[in-house]
Amino acid sequence: MKRNVERLMVLRRRVSAMICPVLLTATLANADSAGAPGSGGMSPMLLLFLAFLGVVVLLQLVPALVLFSSLLVSVFKRSSHKVDAAGSEQV
C-alpha cells in the first residue's frame, strides 16, 4: 500500500513538472498585441492564419476554374453541333 502511494506521488511530481512549463509558456503566448493602438484589433497570429486561409482558397480556386471552364466548353460545343445538324436537315 505504501509503495503505491509513493508511486502516485512520483507520478504527480512528474506530471506537474511537465504541465507547469507548458502553462507558463501558454500565458506568454496568449499575451499578444491585439489591444495595442494601431494594430486594428488583430494579432500577428490571426493575420498569419488569415493569410494561410487565403492561400488555401486561392489554391482551391485554380482547379475549380479549370473544371468550370471545361464544363462550359463542353456544353456550348455540344449545343453548336446540335444546331448545325438541325440546320442541315431543314435545307
Side-chain angles (χ1 to χ4, degrees), residues 34-81:
S39 67
M42 299 175 78
S43 68
M45 288 302 290
L46 180 62
L47 290 174
L48 185 66
F49 173 72
L50 291 176
F52 175 72
L53 192 65
V55 167
V56 169
V57 168
L58 286 178
L59 288 176
Q60 292 295 320
L61 192 62
V62 171
L65 289 175
V66 169
L67 285 172
F68 185 69
S69 63
S70 65
L71 172 79
L72 289 178
V73 166
S74 65
V75 165
F76 287 118
K77 190 174 183 181
R78 287 182 184 169
S79 65
S80 65
H81 287 298

Side-chain angles (χ1 to χ4, degrees), residues 9-59:
M9 294 299 285
V10 170
L11 182 65
R12 285 181 187 166
R13 278 190 225 124
R14 287 183 183 172
V15 169
S16 65
M18 289 185 290
I19 291 178
C20 287
V22 172
L23 291 177
L24 290 175
T25 57
T27 57
L28 294 175
N30 291 332
D32 60 351
S33 62
S39 67
M42 299 175 78
S43 68
M45 288 302 290
L46 180 62
L47 290 174
L48 185 66
F49 173 72
L50 291 176
F52 175 72
L53 192 65
V55 167
V56 169
V57 168
L58 286 178
L59 288 176

